[in-house]
Amino acid sequence: MASVKAMTMTTTTTRTIISEQSAESGITKVKKVTQVTKVSSEEGVEQVRRKSSVTQQTLNVVTHSFEIPPGESIPEFDEKPNSTAVPEGKDAIFKAKVSGNPKPTITWKRASGKPIREGAKIFFDSITKENVLKLDNIIPEDEDAYKCIASNVHADCTYVISLTVTENPDKQLNFRTMLKKRSTPAPKEERKIPTEKEMWEILMKVDKKDYEKICMQHGFTDFRGLLKRLKEMKKKVETESVIVLKPLEDMEGKVDSTATFETVMELKDPNIKMQWFKDGDPIRTQFSLGKFEIKQVGTKFMLSVKNLTQKDSGEYTLQVGDKKFTVKLNVKDEPLRFGVKLKPLKVVERQTGTFECSLSKNVPNVCWKFRGVEVKRDDKHDIIVSADGLTHTLKIKDVRPCDVGEYSFSAGDQISSSELQIDRLPIQFPNALKNVCVKEKGKARLECELSSKNVRIKWLKNGKVITRSPKYSMMQEGRRVELIIDDAELDDGGEYTVVATQDSDGREYTCSSTLNVVDRFATVKSGMTDIHAQSGQPTEFCVVLNDEKVDGVWLKDGKEITDTKNIQIVKQGAVHKLIINNVDDGSEGKYTFKAKGAESEATLSIADPPIIDADILAALVKDPITVKAGHTATIKIPFKGKPIPKITWSKDGIEVSEDNRTQIEKSATQTVLVLNNCVREDSGIVTLKLKSDCGSASANLQLNVIDRPKPPHGTVEFLEHTGKCISMKWKAPRDNGGKSVTSYIIERKLVGKKSWIKVGEVDGNTTNFSTNKVDEGKAYQYRIRAVNSEGMSDPLDSDEVFAGEPIESPDMPSQPQVTDVTKDAITITWTPPVKDGGAPVLGYIVERRKKGSNHWIPATKEPIQDTKFTAEGLLEDMEYEFRVTSINRAGIGQPSTASNSVVAKDPIRAPGKVKDIKVTDSTNSSISLTWAKPESGDEPQGYILEIRPEDAKEWTKCSKIPITSTNYTVGGLQERGKYFFRIRAVNEGGVGEPTELNKGAYALPPPASPRFLDTRMPSSMVVRAGAALCINVGFSGSPSPNVIWLRDGTATKGRETITKGPNMSQFLISSAQRSDSGIYKILLKNDYGEKSHDIRIRVADFPRPPTNLHLTEEVPNTVTLTWDHTPDNIEDGRVQYVIMKRDASTATWYTVTDRVFGNKFTVTGLLPGRKYFFRVIARNDIGDSDPLDLKEPWFVARDKEHFSLQFKEYQEKDWAHAPVFITPLKDHTVHCGNDCTMSCALTGNPRPHINWYKGKLHISENLKYWYTSSNGVCTLTIPTAEMGDADEYTILAENSLGKVKGSCKVIVNEKGVTLMQHSLGEKPRKSKHIM
């Protein structure tokens, strides 16, 4: 056996890689230990190579922004890269999916500081949205920790992973190759060939089938002879019933240890009786309570004595048939001592502290103490003793500052003590101070929340401590602290810091924010209004602001007002008042209220009602005012009132307004009415009205105007008119002029004559008259005047009366015709009337009037004898009309019709030729022209523009009326048509000569190459199938470009509708299909160039579901899903599949994977004995398809163990014993959403009954938990662990002989929280790495 060991050599190499990175927010550590074990033959050929690696993945976050605006975020790893071990020569790929706003930038680095080797590929996969680092052909130098850094303006997030390089098994050389490549072999150590007896001893310890192999290894060549002699030896001992191959040996043992006696025998009779004795007494294992254990393994027989004591010393005998084999057992007792003493312990606050020590032997009556007081098992403390009773453990749960102190352990006369120190958790600020902005005089509130409430707090402003005062209020309620600043002033702004400290921690934890106090500006909620107050009365101004804390000042006429005896300033919250106790003349003015951001002003004026002195009123009523016609009447009335009232004069109820005869004078104290050239109609009641907002007053007086009488009333009535006498009568005048009529004067004239002759006079009481001084046949006209002391009235004219038979007046002449016109004279002619009325025409009366007037004026004083007349003394540029009336003995005939109107001015000349006609602009349907005025002739009043197409001979006017400006745009033209133009000036003097455009003009815009109007046209579009695909394009160019639509380089044709306008084109497919995807080109072309634009169109839709889902179980506890691809996979290569599963006992679906591009996937990690549903969903950029569900649940069968045993006949023994743990439960840490499985191994007979507990709650019957018990292995699984599943779990196993209990703790961490193991070989601290 010694020679076999000499043939091999074991070499172990340990390599440690430590990477540290310091950052502003903390330190991230990655520690990796790699062990490589080599087992080599003596020739130096490596036969076994094993490499083990322990790595950790960590995340470090360094923030830059104190506050992150809404809608933005720090970088986050949605999918983190994973550490990996890659064989040398293979490819290593790290993938990470990162999100954040603004979009983060990704950087890959090596933690050791070395550059990533050349040839590494770093890229972004646009399909999977992943950032990739790919290292081809890995070499050992690539082994390192790698960092993926995601950065934006708010934070830098660094995720560290490790790359382990293992040896590629393909590169290991076989033995023959190694022999060829090795150098000159080292001289072999000469081996000693064992003797036949030594070889036999070696073969006794191995299986018979390996005899030949073992002999070859030891150089023993006479294998067949050995077998022959072995058979001969067996024949010699066949007659013996017991052959001892290995005898029993004396043993020594220590107290509390186990001693095992072993012997190897061959029994001729397998049913021979065997019995063990101690000091002559038979050993009965069924009554020894596990003290003795008897075993048989093949030909080996064993007796084990457990938990040795001094009493177990003595002789032990094995009786086989009639043979006895006796040995001695000597038990030695060692003195009690500590194998491992208590060590000082420092524990992170709220974690579990563990003291552990070991004894050299198991002793009763051990005791744990804290500060001299015995510690017992309770909710706070857990005391654990190992199965052999040598290791003692004290666990202090949820360590707090009160748990700090000396702990001791005593056993017998041995005592070990040590100090427990606490590493306080740093004080965090879950809700930090926020920057605050308040207005002046406002209340500022700074508050934050701490992670602990047992802290001491102080506040700093700009680094100086703030003490409690009426201005500063400090509050601390639990974990919430608050600082309130009342009536904040501008100088209260600055940086405020809260400083938190705690016991057993010398560090100060701070959190700061900025307080910004801004000016308080108010607005006027209700402003002042103008006030009209009576003298001697009180009044007030009032302003209401929207802020009670804003003060203001009052000003009068720009000067500040302070409190006086007559003025009070009052402030009531947001209401500001200015009170004036006694209004006087000095109170009038403009009042202004000013505050920050607000201003209001109003005017105070005195308002006294108007008053007229009572004596003046009485005098006006008593003494009327009398004035002669033509004289001036002056009426003056003084008054009082403020403001000046509105003054209104009226006569007989009708308001008097100023004109040429009437003047009204107004002042602050009086008003005067002046009537110039009084007439009789001015007589009546004159009223003065004074009115203001404060009141009104009035005064009435009588005005009498004395004048000559009015004409007699009515018409003159002829009582008789013969050839000898004419008698008449009339009525007295209605108005005698204020004086009595003294007489009437009668006058007469011949018709056609102008001179009147007095023919009589009667007294004022007589109203008739008769005269015989008449000529027969003549026509007379009479008039009558009334006379009083002031004069003679206007006459009352009678109608024409004939003395005897009448003569008719002639007919009207013809219409006068204008024969000559100058600026001051017009000559007209006419023809006599057709009928003269029975008497020859004595002459003609010529009259004229201004056009539009109804008043005709005689052109001469005497009738004209000729039929031609020149009217002189006319006004230049005035328009006149003329008419003519015939006269005979009977009188004046009817006037002729008026002549045509004519303007008195010299003749006008026609304008000259228009100059510089030219084209200024043109479009497809219009041409714009401009020209200059003619230099000769009189000023033109307009222009006549004519047009002629190229194929026409006649000119056509462009407008119905002359054009008044010197430019004009002709519209409605035919595109690209050629046109000629000419123009003439026109005025009243006529039309000037035409001026023609020197060459034709075309109706088209200036030439220009095509261009797109929208400079930000899209380069790609995604359209959902079934929706309309519409592309609108706006463009320009002259001539209008031709639009060509191309798809993938060829002209489009089929289902599209293309609309073209002068400056736009539209491409429309009313219902898009996936076959419409492609690159569309819009091409614009004209004679001056071309322009194009490409748009990539992709038509997508929700994918159709896959079909034909089949399940097969190729490997236990797994299931393979296969399905047919969705039909959309051919049309859209971007389809992927999502695999989901659901336990039949729950209603929640869980995603197994969401990135399957094939049609086959194997689901692992299924629990036996459970039923599952599965579904497959197709996914693309638009969304998810309907699920393809498994109709019936899939049952995962339990593993069935098939085994067979061949028992040798032996006497039935009692194997009953209480339950005992072989492998205890261990604590577990699991991420939220993952499964957690805990297991232990135990033995017991009868088979123990198993119960599981969560805390004190029995969960064996809870369907949420899955548990199994097979062959002594008990397993409990928590599927999809949640935060509420964190607790202590206990297993209780009991049978009729006893019971045993074991427990473990389960910690559930939120996703994204990483547990850090600070050193290998230690249990990880149960603390979260806060990100």
Side-chain angles (χ1 to χ4, degrees), residues 646-678:
K646 179 181 179 182
I647 299 172
T648 305
W649 289 90
S650 61
K651 186 179 82 68
D652 297 331
I654 299 175
E655 183 177 352
V656 176
S657 59
E658 289 188 299
D659 54 21
N660 294 335
R661 293 193 314 111
T662 307
Q663 291 90 34
I664 299 175
E665 298 178 4
K666 302 176 182 178
S667 67
T669 57
Q670 66 178 9
T671 179
V672 180
L673 174 62
V674 179
L675 298 175
N676 297 315
N677 298 321
C678 289

Side-chain angles (χ1 to χ4, degrees), residues 957-976:
K957 289 184 178 181
C958 296
S959 61
K960 295 181 179 180
I961 61 175
I963 303 168
T964 57
S965 63
T966 58
N967 56 77
Y968 188 74
T969 298
V970 182
L973 305 181
Q974 185 177 359
E975 186 177 357
R976 305 181 69 87

Side-chain angles (χ1 to χ4, degrees), residues 509-784:
Y509 302 89
T510 63
C511 182
S512 302
S513 67
T514 302
L515 172 62
N516 186 19
V517 182
V518 298
D519 288 331
R520 180 179 288 273
F521 293 97
T523 58
V524 176
K525 192 175 182 180
S526 176
M528 297 188 293
T529 56
D530 293 341
I531 296 177
H532 303 282
Q534 293 187 18
S535 300
Q537 299 296 321
T539 188
E540 69 178 27
F541 287 103
C542 179
V543 177
V544 180
L545 302 179
N546 67 338
D547 195 330
E548 296 182 357
K549 297 185 177 181
V550 176
D551 295 328
V553 296
W554 290 90
L555 299 95
K556 177 179 179 292
D557 297 331
K559 297 181 179 180
E560 186 174 353
I561 303 173
T562 58
D563 282 340
T564 62
K565 183 177 181 181
N566 192 39
I567 297 177
Q568 296 179 6
I569 297 175
V570 179
K571 180 180 183 297
Q572 299 173 343
V575 180
H576 300 258
K577 292 183 179 181
L578 177 68
I579 301 174
I580 302 174
N581 298 322
N582 186 7
V583 176
D584 54 19
D585 291 341
S587 303
E588 287 188 309
K590 179 187 288 186
Y591 289 81
T592 305
F593 176 79
K594 289 186 177 181
K596 285 185 178 179
E599 183 174 344
S600 179
E601 63 181 18
T603 302
L604 172 63
S605 58
I606 296 176
D608 292 334
I611 299 173
I612 301 175
D613 190 82
D615 295 338
I616 296 176
L617 291 175
L620 293 175
V621 174
K622 181 179 179 182
D623 299 323
I625 298 175
T626 302
V627 64
K628 289 185 177 183
H631 291 194
T632 299
T634 301
I635 306 172
K636 178 179 179 183
I637 300 178
F639 62 85
K640 295 180 179 179
K642 198 169 187 180
I644 300 175
K646 179 181 179 182
I647 299 172
T648 305
W649 289 90
S650 61
K651 186 179 82 68
D652 297 331
I654 299 175
E655 183 177 352
V656 176
S657 59
E658 289 188 299
D659 54 21
N660 294 335
R661 293 193 314 111
T662 307
Q663 291 90 34
I664 299 175
E665 298 178 4
K666 302 176 182 178
S667 67
T669 57
Q670 66 178 9
T671 179
V672 180
L673 174 62
V674 179
L675 298 175
N676 297 315
N677 298 321
C678 289
V679 295
R680 178 63 180 161
E681 287 76 9
D682 294 335
S683 299
I685 302 299
V686 177
T687 302
L688 169 64
K689 290 185 179 180
L690 305 175
K691 186 176 182 180
S692 69
D693 294 338
C694 305
S696 62
S698 63
N700 297 321
L701 58 95
Q702 181 68 41
L703 174 62
N704 291 329
V705 179
I706 301 173
D707 196 3
R708 56 194 181 92
K710 295 296 183 181
H713 177 61
T715 59
V716 178
E717 181 181 357
F718 290 97
L719 302 176
E720 181 183 357
H721 57 96
T722 63
K724 295 182 179 179
C725 177
I726 295 177
S727 298
M728 66 196 75
K729 69 175 182 178
W730 62 88
K731 294 180 181 178
R734 289 184 175 181
D735 183 7
N736 59 10
K739 297 290 184 178
S740 299
V741 176
T742 57
S743 62
Y744 296 95
I745 298 176
I746 299 92
E747 296 177 308
R748 185 186 68 184
K749 73 168 183 172
L750 290 172
V751 175
K753 301 292 184 180
K754 291 185 177 181
S755 58
W756 291 87
I757 302 172
K758 182 178 179 182
V759 294
E761 183 177 357
V762 297
D763 59 33
N765 297 323
T766 302
T767 57
N768 54 70
F769 176 73
S770 176
T771 179
N772 53 8
K773 295 179 180 180
V774 294
D775 294 333
E776 184 178 1
K778 289 187 177 180
Y780 296 95
Q781 186 178 9
Y782 291 87
R783 66 182 183 184
I784 303 168

Side-chain angles (χ1 to χ4, degrees), residues 812-816 856 882-885 894-899:
M812 71 174 88
S814 65
Q815 181 184 18
W856 289 93
F882 295 89
R883 72 178 181 180
V884 180
T885 306
Q894 292 184 356
S896 67
T897 58
S899 67

Side-chain angles (χ1 to χ4, degrees), residues 1173-1329:
F1173 286 95
F1174 297 92
R1175 65 171 35 167
V1176 181
I1177 299 173
R1179 174 176 293 174
N1180 63 7
D1181 293 342
I1182 299 300
D1184 295 347
S1185 71
D1186 295 332
L1188 171 61
D1189 287 336
L1190 184 66
K1191 302 301 182 183
E1192 298 296 332
W1194 179 268
F1195 179 74
V1196 181
R1198 297 180 183 269
D1199 295 337
K1200 295 183 178 179
E1201 299 179 359
H1202 300 279
F1203 60 92
S1204 62
L1205 297 175
Q1206 295 181 359
F1207 295 97
K1208 293 184 178 181
E1209 294 184 5
Y1210 66 98
Q1211 295 179 355
E1212 184 177 355
K1213 301 178 181 180
D1214 187 5
W1215 298 94
H1217 63 88
V1220 177
F1221 281 107
I1222 300 175
T1223 303
L1225 291 173
K1226 295 182 180 179
D1227 293 344
H1228 290 268
T1229 300
V1230 64
H1231 287 295
C1232 185
N1234 294 341
D1235 295 345
C1236 177
T1237 301
M1238 59 194 82
S1239 61
C1240 65
L1242 55 84
T1243 181
N1245 193 11
R1247 183 178 178 180
H1249 179 68
I1250 305 300
N1251 287 292
W1252 287 92
Y1253 294 86
K1254 177 188 175 188
K1256 297 182 180 180
L1257 179 64
H1258 184 257
I1259 61 174
S1260 296
E1261 304 300 327
N1262 194 331
L1263 294 178
K1264 177 179 178 181
Y1265 303 91
W1266 306 336
Y1267 72 92
T1268 60
S1269 177
S1270 176
N1271 298 327
V1273 178
C1274 300
T1275 303
L1276 176 68
T1277 299
I1278 307 173
T1280 315
E1282 301 174 352
M1283 298 300 294
D1285 292 327
D1287 207 333
E1288 183 179 58
Y1289 288 78
T1290 304
I1291 181 173
L1292 176 63
E1294 58 181 333
N1295 63 9
S1296 58
L1297 299 179
K1299 60 182 178 180
V1300 66
K1301 182 187 295 185
S1303 61
C1304 68
K1305 285 188 176 181
V1306 174
I1307 299 175
V1308 182
N1309 290 330
E1310 294 180 357
K1311 286 189 176 180
V1313 177
T1314 304
L1315 290 175
M1316 296 189 63
Q1317 184 172 330
H1318 293 284
S1319 62
L1320 296 173
E1322 297 180 357
K1323 291 185 179 180
R1325 290 186 178 181
K1326 300 172 185 176
S1327 61
K1328 294 181 180 179
H1329 178 60

Side-chain angles (χ1 to χ4, degrees), residues 1110-1134:
H1110 298 287
L1111 276 72
T1112 57
E1113 184 176 2
E1114 299 174 350
V1115 178
N1117 299 336
T1118 67
V1119 62
T1120 300
L1121 285 71
T1122 59
W1123 59 91
D1124 292 342
H1125 279 296
T1126 172
D1128 300 319
N1129 189 49
I1130 300 175
E1131 302 175 10
D1132 189 352
R1134 305 165 75 91

Side-chain angles (χ1 to χ4, degrees), residues 171-433:
K171 293 187 177 182
Q172 294 180 359
L173 300 176
N174 56 31
F175 182 74
R176 187 180 301 275
T177 304
M178 294 174 65
L179 287 175
K180 291 181 180 179
K181 292 189 176 182
R182 67 180 180 176
S183 59
T184 303
K188 296 184 179 179
E189 182 181 352
E190 188 171 343
R191 293 183 296 174
K192 180 182 178 182
I193 299 176
T195 64
E196 182 177 331
K197 182 179 181 180
E198 292 173 345
M199 195 68 228
W200 166 245
E201 291 178 354
I202 294 173
L203 295 178
M204 289 295 293
K205 299 178 181 180
V206 299
D207 197 356
K208 293 181 180 180
K209 64 181 181 179
D210 296 329
Y211 281 175
E212 186 176 2
K213 179 180 177 182
I214 297 300
C215 288
M216 294 295 293
Q217 289 179 354
H218 289 77
F220 194 86
T221 58
D222 190 12
F223 175 64
R224 297 184 180 275
L226 181 64
L227 290 178
K228 184 177 180 181
R229 284 185 290 275
L230 180 60
K231 291 179 180 180
E232 291 176 355
M233 290 175 62
K234 287 185 177 181
K235 289 179 179 180
K236 294 179 180 179
V237 297
E238 279 181 353
T239 58
E240 299 181 11
S241 59
V242 179
I243 299 176
V244 179
L245 301 179
K246 179 182 179 183
L248 293 174
E249 297 177 354
D250 294 338
M251 297 191 67
E252 290 185 356
K254 297 179 181 180
V255 175
D256 293 331
S257 64
T258 299
T260 302
F261 296 101
E262 295 182 357
T263 181
V264 179
M265 299 180 297
E266 285 190 0
L267 304 178
K268 182 176 181 182
D269 183 6
N271 296 322
I272 191 171
K273 183 178 180 181
M274 299 180 64
Q275 180 69 49
W276 286 90
F277 297 87
K278 178 184 182 297
D279 296 332
D281 296 328
I283 297 175
R284 303 182 184 278
T285 57
Q286 63 269 31
F287 302 112
S288 65
L289 299 178
K291 180 71 174 179
F292 300 99
E293 182 178 4
I294 300 174
K295 292 183 181 181
Q296 177 185 354
V297 179
T299 59
K300 184 186 293 187
F301 299 87
M302 293 174 288
L303 170 65
S304 296
V305 185
K306 301 180 180 179
N307 299 325
L308 294 177
T309 62
Q310 293 287 343
K311 296 180 180 180
D312 295 326
S313 300
E315 292 184 348
Y316 288 81
T317 303
L318 170 62
Q319 181 177 349
V320 182
D322 56 356
K323 291 188 177 182
K324 293 184 180 180
F325 306 97
T326 303
V327 291
K328 292 183 179 180
L329 172 63
N330 183 19
V331 180
K332 297 181 179 180
D333 189 10
E334 296 181 354
L336 178 64
R337 58 182 177 80
F338 280 102
V340 177
K341 292 187 176 182
L342 296 180
K343 297 180 181 179
L345 180 64
K346 188 172 186 180
V347 182
V348 177
E349 185 180 5
R350 304 300 298 273
Q351 299 301 311
T352 299
T354 303
F355 284 106
E356 187 175 86
C357 64
S358 63
L359 300 174
S360 61
K361 63 179 181 179
N362 187 3
V363 296
N365 301 325
V366 296
C367 179
W368 288 92
K369 292 184 179 181
F370 171 56
R371 297 178 183 172
V373 180
E374 183 179 358
V375 177
K376 296 184 178 181
R377 184 192 302 270
D378 54 20
D379 293 339
K380 180 72 176 178
H381 303 89
D382 190 7
I383 299 175
I384 302 173
V385 181
S386 63
D388 57 6
L390 300 180
T391 303
H392 297 262
T393 305
L394 172 64
K395 293 185 177 181
I396 302 99
K397 306 174 185 176
D398 192 18
V399 173
R400 299 296 182 95
C402 60
D403 298 323
V404 175
E406 184 183 53
Y407 287 81
S408 62
F409 175 78
S410 60
D413 58 350
Q414 299 292 319
I415 298 177
S416 177
S417 60
S418 180
E419 289 287 332
L420 171 64
Q421 297 179 352
I422 188 171
D423 186 3
R424 295 298 302 272
L425 287 175
I427 300 174
Q428 304 289 335
F429 294 87
N431 292 327
L433 292 177

